[in-house]
């Protein structure tokens, strides 16, 4: 209804009594169409007329009855599982012809693999794996040993994966993955799924052995009943079934071994991963045999999109079946991965899990961080990311072994005995440990979610630094006391505070560089991004260097007399290689920043121009979370403009940052000769520096770009540092 002001604005409209609707004792129906037309003409873009009790979220979430896109019940083929069974959608046995029966069971196995992979990639459990009617009625398959054992291990595997992802909480905003919708994820006897699977595997192994035996030995094996009736196809079908059963068995072992506490099952899991990959290869090899002898006749075009190796449509599945029984089931249709893509998915998953199992469980926190960051470069899917997090954080400890305070002491380069100090009982120190656990968990999430969370916890790290400083002053305020115990307390406080600052800047750097991986920055914004990376790297190198100097001073004081120590303070000091590596990054970031600034100043390209946001507004949008955390202090848009406003190619030709980066990277090779990952990173830095050095020299000679020359920035050597490419159009 229109309120009084609206009625006044539409007073010229004629409101007529509607003759088609009879009036009541207290009501009169009137046609307000003219008022609505006037209101529509008066509304501007994005404006909304609503009553006091209007709720936009409720309106958007409303269910439209009989709408196929909104009403989950309307799209169902069957009203219930019982109706589907009565209609013959899931017969037992699958066929009275035993050969066809085996073929159909294999098709079900393959289709379930495609369903499972689709579920792992973000599909709904109710519309993928549990679209299988045989899984919804476990008791019906008890008379079919092969299908029954396979369904049990599928159900148990799904339950194991749901448990892992739920415990790790890496499913991000995709709550669909862990929603069970009341589906039978557990059934009586599922705990014995492996023994049942093993019994069926043994039977089929004997059947395979019998059909391969020479004629002289076949009489001995005559009591072994064949898998199906066509003896010419017996070997092919036995092999196809066996590799699928064995893959399931080994996959379940992988998932359960990796959940053992403190990484104790990793070695065994690696062996099962190798077996899984072998069985997947055997499954791929069996595809040709199954296509040649499929029960569905000639295959149609588009066989590469089929969800079975044979190309046949499996029986016993209906993706809409759970729409009525499980209310939250999304009404949208899900496109399943093809069987080939499902196999490829599991191969990648197993390779990712193998990398996790091969990890040395480095007790040094920096090593754990590097491992997670390097692992994320492989773009692991949800399940692999859940398992790496479950390995890293167990019962509030690193790998379930190292208490977080001991991890902090080792990361802060404190003496071994510091981890037993009473300072760990301080409440704020305990909060720092929880913050460290949160950081590890965040680093295991997907890239987009990870970046959002990293930006939000930056303020927490800044706050914890202030709280630690206040707590240490309150507890160990008398720093003039020179007793041994007090000196140890002071050392712990100093080291931890410096390490917290270092870690905060590391998080800020990670936040910035993830923007490149997510393609959040346009080329016109690269200048400000590299400026911010440059100032963050300077602070990170400063804190890392300070931490190492404190540690070196402590060790020198122990090994030398006071008089000798004073003599050696400034003698033969070498900057640590890790700090020099950061210096390489600083040179690259500074070089890119100044090159882009010179192009903006002299050639008027890569400017932040547009009808919506000014450059300052873009700066705030990209770096607001860093600014709120004061990282670093006094960093602002105006300091960025001040740094870059006077950049010119004539200046850059005299001081070439890329040459310095290239030289330093070559000098660092000897320091990291035993670290293949760091050696690869140094090679990438050299390539970025070399190519940008060539481009910079060319730009310095040209001064002003000719109209026929085009310059672009591409990430061909390093994911975070661009390379300038000058091309003639």
């Amino acid at each position: 209804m229109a309120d009084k002001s609206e009625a006044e604005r539409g007073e010229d409209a004629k409101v007529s009594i509607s003759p088609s609707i009879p009036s009541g004792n207290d009501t009169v129906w009137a046609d307000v169409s003219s008022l609505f037309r006037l209101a529509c003409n008066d509304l501007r873009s994005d404006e909304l007329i609503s009553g006091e009790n209007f709720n936009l979220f409720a309106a958007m979430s409303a269910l439209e009855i009989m709408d196929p896109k909104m009403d989950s019940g309307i799209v169902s083929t069957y009203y219930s599982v019982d109706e589907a069974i009565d209609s013959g959608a899931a017969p037992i046995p699958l066929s009275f012809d035993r050969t066809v029966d085996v073929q159909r069971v294999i098709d079900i196995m393959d289709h379930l693999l495609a369903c499972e992979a689709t579920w792992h990639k973000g599909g709904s459990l109710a519309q993928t794996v549990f679209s299988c009617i045989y899984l919804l009625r476990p008791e019906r398959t008890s008379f079919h040993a092969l299908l029954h054992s396979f369904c049990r291990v599928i159900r148990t595997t799904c339950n194991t994966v749901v448990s892992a992802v739920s415990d790790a909480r890496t499913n991000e905003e995709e709550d669909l993955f862990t929603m069970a919708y009341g589906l039978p994820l557990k059934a009586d006897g599922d705990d014995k799924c492996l023994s049942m699977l093993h019994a069926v595997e043994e039977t089929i192994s004997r059947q395979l052995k019998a059909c391969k035996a020479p004629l002289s030995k076949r009489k001995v094996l005559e009591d072994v009943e064949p898998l199906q009736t066509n003896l010419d196809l017996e070997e092919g079908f036995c092999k196809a079934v066996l590799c699928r059963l064995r893959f399931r068995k080994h996959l379940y072992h992988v998932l359960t071994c990796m959940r053992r506490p403190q990484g104790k099952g990793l070695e065994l899991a690696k062996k099962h991963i190798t077996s899984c990959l072998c069985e997947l290869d055997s499954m791929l090899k069996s595809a040709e045999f199954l296509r040649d002898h499929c029960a569905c006749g000639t295959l149609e075009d588009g066989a590469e999109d089929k969800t079975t190796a044979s190309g046949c449509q499996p029986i016993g599945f209906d993706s809409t079946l759970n729409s009525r029984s499980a209310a939250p089931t999304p009404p949208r249709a899900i496109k399943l991965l093809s069987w080939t893509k499902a196999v490829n998915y599991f191969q990648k998953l197993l390779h990712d899990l193998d990398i996790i199992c091969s990890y040395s469980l480095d007790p040094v926190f920096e090593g754990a961080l590097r491992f997670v960051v390097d692992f994320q470069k492989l773009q692991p899917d949800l399940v692999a990311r859940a398992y790496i997090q479950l390995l890293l954080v167990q019962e509030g400890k690193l790998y379930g072994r190292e208490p977080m305070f001991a991890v902090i002491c080792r990361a802060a380069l404190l003496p071994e005995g510091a981890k037993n100090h009473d300072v760990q009982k301080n409440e704020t120190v305990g909060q720092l440990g929880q913050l460290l656990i949160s950081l590890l968990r965040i680093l295991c999430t997907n890239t987009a979610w990870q970046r959002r969370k990293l930006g939000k916890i930056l303020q927490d790290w800044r706050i914890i630094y202030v709280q630690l400083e206040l707590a240490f002053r309150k507890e160990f305020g008398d720093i003039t006391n020179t007793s041994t115990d007090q000196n140890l307390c002071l050392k712990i406080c100093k080291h931890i505070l410096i390490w917290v600052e270092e870690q905060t800047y590391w998080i800020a750097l990670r936040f910035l560089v993830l923007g490149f991986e997510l393609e959040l920055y346009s080329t016109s914004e690269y200048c400000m991004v590299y400026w911010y990376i440059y100032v963050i790297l300077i602070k990170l190198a400063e804190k890392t260097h300070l931490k190492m100097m404190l540690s070196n001073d402590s060790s020198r004081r122990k090994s030398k007399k006071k008089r000798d120590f004073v003599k050696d303070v400034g003698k033969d000091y070498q900057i640590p290689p890790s700090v020099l590596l950061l210096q390489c990054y600083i040179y690259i970031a500074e070089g890119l920043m100044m090159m882009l600034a010179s192009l903006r100043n002299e050639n008027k390209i890569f400017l932040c121009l547009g009808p919506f946001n000014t450059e300052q507004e873009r700066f705030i949008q990209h770096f607001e979370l860093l600014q709120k955390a004061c990282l670093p202090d006094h960093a602002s848009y105006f300091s960025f403009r001040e740094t870059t406003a006077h950049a010119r190619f004539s200046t850059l030709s005299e001081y070439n940052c890329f040459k310095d980066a290239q030289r330093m990277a070559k000098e660092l090779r000897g320091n990291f000769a035993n670290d293949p990952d760091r050696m690869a990173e140094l090679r990438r830095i050299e390539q970025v520096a070399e190519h940008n050095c060539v481009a910079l020299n060319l730009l310095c000679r040209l001064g002003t770009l000719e109209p026929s020359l085009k310059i672009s920035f591409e990430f061909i050597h390093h994911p975070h540092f661009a390379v300038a490419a000058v091309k003639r159009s």
Side-chain angles (χ1 to χ4, degrees), residues 89-105:
I92 293 287
L94 284 74
S95 173
F96 290 104
D97 183 330
R98 288 175 56 196
T99 301
V100 176
D101 184 85
V102 170
Q103 289 174 321
R104 288 180 174 177
V105 171

Side-chain angles (χ1 to χ4, degrees), residues 110 240 243-244 281-294 299 308-311 339-340:
D110 289 346
C243 61
R244 285 157 173 79
D281 288 338
S282 299
M283 287 165 62
L284 288 170
K285 291 175 184 176
S286 71
E288 184 178 356
F289 168 82
L290 294 171
R291 282 194 299 269
D292 292 342
H293 302 92
C294 63
L299 291 180
T308 61
S310 67
W339 180 76
T340 304

Side-chain angles (χ1 to χ4, degrees), residues 565-672:
F565 173 75
V566 173
K567 288 180 181 178
D568 289 349
V569 166
K571 184 180 177 182
D572 298 330
Y573 179 73
Q574 291 184 343
I575 299 176
S578 57
V579 178
L580 291 176
L581 180 59
L582 289 173
Q583 185 62 53
C584 286
Y585 293 139
I586 291 171
Y587 284 138
I588 296 287
E590 183 182 8
L592 285 167
M593 170 188 67
M594 299 308 287
M595 184 195 295
L596 285 156
S598 299
L599 287 167
R600 286 153 55 101
N601 295 336
E602 295 189 31
N603 295 281
K604 305 303 177 186
I605 58 175
F606 304 128
L607 299 172
C608 285
L609 301 175
F612 302 111
N613 296 343
T614 64
E615 184 177 63
Q616 185 174 358
E617 286 172 334
R618 293 191 189 191
F619 185 94
I620 293 169
Q621 288 165 357
H622 281 307
F623 313 126
E624 182 181 12
L625 294 171
L626 296 170
Q627 297 278 288
K628 284 182 178 178
C630 299
L631 287 170
D633 292 328
H634 312 302
S636 66
Y637 172 74
F638 301 105
S639 52
F640 156 67
R641 290 293 299 158
E642 185 179 350
T643 305
T644 58
H646 304 291
R648 296 290 186 275
F649 283 116
S650 57
T651 309
L652 295 185
S653 61
E654 297 175 9
Y655 175 56
N656 192 327
C657 296
F658 299 121
K659 284 185 178 179
D660 292 330
Q662 194 175 2
R663 171 186 53 79
M664 189 169 287
K666 287 180 179 178
E667 292 173 355
L668 281 172
R669 288 179 185 175
N671 298 102
F672 297 116

Side-chain angles (χ1 to χ4, degrees), residues 274-481:
T274 303
S275 299
C276 274
L277 291 169
C278 289
E279 300 305 335
L280 283 173
D281 288 338
S282 299
M283 287 165 62
L284 288 170
K285 291 175 184 176
S286 71
E288 184 178 356
F289 168 82
L290 294 171
R291 282 194 299 269
D292 292 342
H293 302 92
C294 63
C296 55
T298 306
L299 291 180
E300 300 174 359
D301 293 336
E304 65 276 1
D305 294 327
K306 300 295 184 180
T307 58
T308 61
S310 67
C312 298
Q313 185 67 26
I315 64 170
F317 290 86
D318 183 358
S319 61
T320 66
L321 188 59
N322 293 306
S323 298
R324 292 179 181 274
S325 59
T329 304
R332 63 183 174 85
I334 288 181
K335 181 174 173 57
L336 294 177
L337 293 175
S338 68
W339 180 76
T340 304
K341 289 181 179 178
V343 172
N344 293 338
Y345 164 78
F346 277 100
Q347 286 175 329
K348 184 183 184 306
L349 172 63
L350 289 162
H351 283 302
D352 290 342
L353 295 178
D354 188 56
I355 290 171
I356 297 173
C357 293
S358 302
Y359 179 48
S360 61
L361 305 187
D362 189 346
V364 179
F365 183 68
E366 183 188 358
L369 284 187
R370 278 182 57 197
F371 174 67
V372 179
V373 170
D374 289 341
F375 184 72
Q376 287 281 25
K377 292 175 184 176
L378 303 173
Q379 297 181 330
D381 287 298
L382 176 62
V383 176
R385 287 188 278 107
Y387 272 90
I388 190 175
Q389 195 219 103
L390 291 170
L391 173 64
L392 292 171
V393 181
Q394 298 177 28
E395 299 179 350
K397 297 178 179 179
L398 186 65
Y399 319 123
R401 302 174 180 178
E402 300 284 336
M404 295 318 294
F405 183 70
V407 173
I408 292 168
C409 288
R410 192 176 289 112
L413 303 182
L414 281 162
E416 186 66 22
K419 67 181 183 182
N420 300 317
H421 198 276
D422 287 344
V423 73
Q424 64 184 301
K425 297 177 182 177
N426 184 283
E427 183 181 352
T428 311
V429 174
Q431 291 172 359
L432 176 61
Q434 291 303 311
L435 208 54
L436 206 58
I437 291 173
S438 297
L439 175 60
L440 285 171
R441 285 179 170 155
I442 289 169
L443 292 174
C444 295
T445 59
N446 70 36
T447 308
W449 195 250
Q450 180 186 152
R451 188 175 187 273
R452 283 199 297 273
K453 289 292 187 181
L454 288 176
K456 290 179 180 178
I457 67 164
L458 278 170
Q459 287 192 66
D460 296 335
W461 279 84
R462 291 296 272 180
I463 290 168
I464 202 74
Y465 175 83
V466 175
Q467 290 177 336
L468 282 168
E469 194 174 30
L470 292 173
F472 289 157
R473 283 181 180 176
K474 182 178 179 181
E475 193 162 347
F476 312 111
D478 186 11
I479 59 174
T480 58
N481 191 327

